[in-house]
Amino acid sequence: HSSSHLQAKLALEALLRLSLGCTLAALLPPCALLLRAPSRRAFLLCATACGLAFFLLSFQVHEKHLLLPLLPAALLSTEHPRAYAWFALLAAFSMFPLLARDGLRLAYSVCQLAFGALAAALTPPMEVGGSATA
């Protein structure tokens, strides 16, 4: 596990500074793009990216923090419904340890399988490459 290697090599204060620097570096591009060309879509993309930056790069994070970027991503789901479905499935997967601790493994598994099946059946396939071929 890479974080345990860093913990062994760096002092706590250095880890805090590294986490802060990485988080700020990840926040700057989406915020700069939003300031350059503000729109509803740009705001939702920025909110999703910033939420993911905090989830992925913060010093201490809880599994539930992945729900924060899921909300603005949900508002963008009409553009790429299958990509959002995958994101929602992965977000729920990250919460599995919490749900398993509460004895919800079966309920979690049934809901994940049902949501995955519905998403696969009801959403159009994702385009690969950027241009659709007819």
Side-chain angles (χ1 to χ4, degrees), residues 6-126:
L6 286 176
Q7 288 174 346
K9 293 179 180 181
L10 297 174
L12 180 62
E13 187 172 324
L15 287 171
L16 287 169
R17 290 182 188 274
L18 178 64
S19 178
L20 175 65
C22 290
T23 304
L24 289 175
L27 292 173
L28 286 176
C31 291
L33 290 173
L34 176 62
L35 290 172
R36 185 172 176 228
S39 68
R40 177 186 182 276
R41 182 177 183 276
F43 173 76
L44 293 173
L45 288 169
C46 181
T48 302
C50 289
L52 285 171
F54 278 109
F55 176 73
L56 295 171
L57 301 168
S58 291
F59 180 73
Q60 203 167 26
V61 71
H62 194 277
E63 293 90 346
K64 292 185 288 186
H65 289 147
L66 189 53
L67 298 177
L68 184 62
L70 197 59
L71 178 61
L75 297 173
L76 291 164
S77 67
T78 56
E79 292 181 26
H80 303 286
R82 187 159 288 187
Y84 174 74
W86 274 105
F87 183 34
L89 282 168
L90 290 171
F93 178 73
S94 79
M95 293 183 46
F96 179 73
L98 289 175
L99 298 168
R101 195 174 340 155
D102 290 338
L104 297 171
R105 287 184 178 155
L106 179 61
Y108 165 85
S109 300
V110 169
C111 287
Q112 283 287 88
L113 288 172
F115 181 78
L118 282 171
L122 300 176
T123 59
M126 289 188 283

